[in-house]
């Protein structure tokens, strides 16, 4: 499968200069009374306390209207400015405003009618059309699922399981298309913009979580592919109920964890010794093992080990038990391209060293 060039390593950048350039391009968006203050900021002229207060209030309002998130979110703001500096302009929503309005009003007939028009007019490939309209369906169903099955509340598995698998089918479709369209950067930008528009219209608080998961899984796919293996997306059933996100080979089951931390990690789940894991970080495994991040996913790793062991029951020759090797890949978001989901060269290098050099890490017992 052909791919785009991998993203370059993140460089040092003057975010203040980028902001001034962005403000200069949008100067006409400000009221006549505020423009002189914005121009002074662009020119590097110091504002007095009153001017600064007026400027900041108008800048924050302009930013939210333009990008739909709070200017005070420094991490997200700098990520966006960095993308702008690389020419990674924001995409356009692929759904007409009539569909967005219908989604807000719960008008499924209008949505279905326009979807059929998309198919009839062949505005895009069939999978792509299913995906962009599926974003609406997914977000609505996800909101309903969270409402009906809140965390910590005991749920009827027979009632919950088909709905959970339905959600993972959409995630499979989205991830598949991110991989399939890796060279079509314009479509990918528009896909992300469409999802953001739908999430904002439906007031979904979990869009960023979905985005992190999709990017991490697609990036993990390319990492495994770069290592010369044949990655395969797990089925919705495997994803929903076995905690398997990706297969790295016939017997290698992978669970992918997106992370805001800077350090990647590879955690080998030991299914023969109970309990046990092997952590590889390329630095100090014990530091990661005792870190807050590891403690947060420790229980998930143990559940993954148990599910993987059960999944192998009777799957070998003559219905003998089959042993799968489980890995948890911790994927830092800063090392993944926000549009194409391409992993950085250093991320691929890390996993190449840690997967190929299997003697590089010591085994660690999973704390009870």
């Amino acid at each position: 499968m052909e791919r785009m060039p991998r993203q370059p390593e993140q460089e040092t950048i003057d975010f203040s200069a980028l902001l001034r350039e962005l403000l200069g391009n949008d100067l006409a968006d400000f009221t006549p009374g505020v423009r002189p203050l914005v121009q002074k900021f662009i020119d590097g002229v110091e504002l007095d306390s009153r001017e600064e207060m007026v400027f900041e209030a108008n800048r924050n309002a302009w930013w939210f209207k333009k990008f739909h998130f709070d200017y005070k979110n420094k991490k997200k703001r700098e990520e966006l400015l960095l993308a702008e500096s690389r020419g990674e302009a924001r995409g356009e929503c692929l759904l007409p405003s009539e569909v967005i309005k219908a989604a807000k009003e719960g008008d499924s007939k209008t949505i279905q009618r326009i979807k059929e028009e998309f198919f009839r007019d062949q505005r895009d490939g069939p999978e792509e059309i299913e995906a962009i309209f599926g974003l609406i369906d997914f977000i609505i169903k996800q909101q309903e699922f969270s409402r009906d099955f809140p965390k910590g509340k005991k749920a009827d598995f027979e009632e919950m399981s088909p709905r959970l698998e339905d959600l993972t089918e959409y995630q499979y479709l989205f991830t598949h298309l991110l991989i399939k369209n890796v060279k079509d950067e314009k479509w990918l930008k528009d896909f992300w913009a469409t999802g953001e528009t739908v999430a904002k219209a439906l007031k979904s608080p979990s869009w960023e979580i979905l985005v992190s998961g999709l990017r991490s899984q697609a990036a993990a796919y390319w990492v495994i592919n770069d290592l010369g293996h044949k990655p395969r997306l797990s089925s919705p059933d495997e994803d929903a109920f076995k905690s398997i996100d990706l297969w790295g080979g016939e017997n290698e089951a992978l669970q992918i964890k997106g992370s805001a931390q800077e350090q990647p990690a590879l955690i080998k789940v030991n299914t023969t010794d109970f309990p046990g894991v092997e952590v590889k970080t390329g630095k100090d495994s014990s530091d990661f093992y005792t870190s807050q991040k590891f403690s947060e996913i420790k229980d998930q790793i143990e559940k993954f080990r148990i599910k993987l062991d059960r999944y192998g029951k009777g799957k070998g020759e003559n219905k003998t038990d089959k042993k799968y090797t489980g890995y948890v890949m911790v994927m830092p978001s800063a090392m993944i391209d926000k549009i194409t989901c391409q992993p950085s060269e250093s991320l691929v290098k890390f996993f190449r060293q840690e997967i190929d050099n299997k003697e590089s890490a010591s085994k660690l017992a999973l704390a009870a």
Side-chain angles (χ1 to χ4, degrees), residues 285-337:
S285 299
S286 60
D287 284 349
F288 185 85
Y289 176 67
T290 57
S291 71
Q292 180 182 359
K293 180 62 184 176
F294 184 82
S295 65
E296 288 172 356
I297 65 174
K298 181 179 62 176
D299 291 342
Q300 298 175 45
I301 293 170
E302 176 56 16
K303 289 177 182 178
F304 182 36
R305 186 200 69 78
I306 294 171
K307 289 179 180 180
L308 203 56
D309 194 38
R310 290 174 179 168
Y311 190 52
K313 298 295 183 184
K315 289 188 177 291
E317 293 185 12
N318 300 319
K319 295 187 177 180
T320 58
D321 292 348
K322 189 171 183 177
K323 295 297 181 184
Y324 293 108
T325 302
Y327 292 94
V328 177
M329 297 175 69
V330 179
M331 310 284 287
S333 59
M335 302 176 81
I336 300 171
D337 188 278

Side-chain angles (χ1 to χ4, degrees), residues 189-351:
K189 288 177 182 178
D190 292 345
F191 172 80
W192 296 122
T194 303
E196 184 178 337
T197 301
V198 172
K200 184 172 182 290
L202 298 178
K203 299 181 180 178
S204 170
S206 53
W207 170 245
E208 292 297 331
I209 297 173
L210 172 64
V211 168
S212 175
L214 294 177
R215 284 178 176 148
S216 299
Q217 288 190 30
Y221 177 97
W222 290 122
V223 167
I224 300 303
N225 185 75
D226 273 4
L227 299 183
H229 301 283
K230 295 181 178 179
R232 173 176 62 84
L233 295 177
S234 64
S235 68
D237 174 74
E238 291 168 337
D239 188 352
F241 307 116
K242 311 300 186 300
S243 300
I244 302 169
D245 296 317
L246 190 69
W247 290 95
E250 183 180 352
N251 298 314
E252 290 77 37
L254 309 175
Q255 188 177 116
I256 315 301
K257 297 293 181 186
S259 173
Q261 68 171 23
E262 298 178 359
Q263 186 180 356
L266 178 68
I267 304 170
K268 182 178 180 180
V269 180
N270 193 330
T271 58
T272 56
D273 296 334
F274 174 74
V277 297
E278 180 181 347
V279 180
K280 302 179 182 183
T281 65
K283 294 182 181 178
D284 189 338
S285 299
S286 60
D287 284 349
F288 185 85
Y289 176 67
T290 57
S291 71
Q292 180 182 359
K293 180 62 184 176
F294 184 82
S295 65
E296 288 172 356
I297 65 174
K298 181 179 62 176
D299 291 342
Q300 298 175 45
I301 293 170
E302 176 56 16
K303 289 177 182 178
F304 182 36
R305 186 200 69 78
I306 294 171
K307 289 179 180 180
L308 203 56
D309 194 38
R310 290 174 179 168
Y311 190 52
K313 298 295 183 184
K315 289 188 177 291
E317 293 185 12
N318 300 319
K319 295 187 177 180
T320 58
D321 292 348
K322 189 171 183 177
K323 295 297 181 184
Y324 293 108
T325 302
Y327 292 94
V328 177
M329 297 175 69
V330 179
M331 310 284 287
S333 59
M335 302 176 81
I336 300 171
D337 188 278
K338 298 296 184 290
I339 304 299
T340 67
C341 306
Q342 293 280 282
S344 67
E345 291 180 4
S346 59
L347 187 58
V348 175
K349 181 180 179 181
F350 164 79
F351 284 110

Side-chain angles (χ1 to χ4, degrees), residues 91-106:
E92 299 177 1
C93 181
L94 294 165
L95 294 170
S97 57
E98 186 181 1
V99 171
I100 303 300
K101 181 175 182 290
K104 292 172 68 175
E105 296 174 351

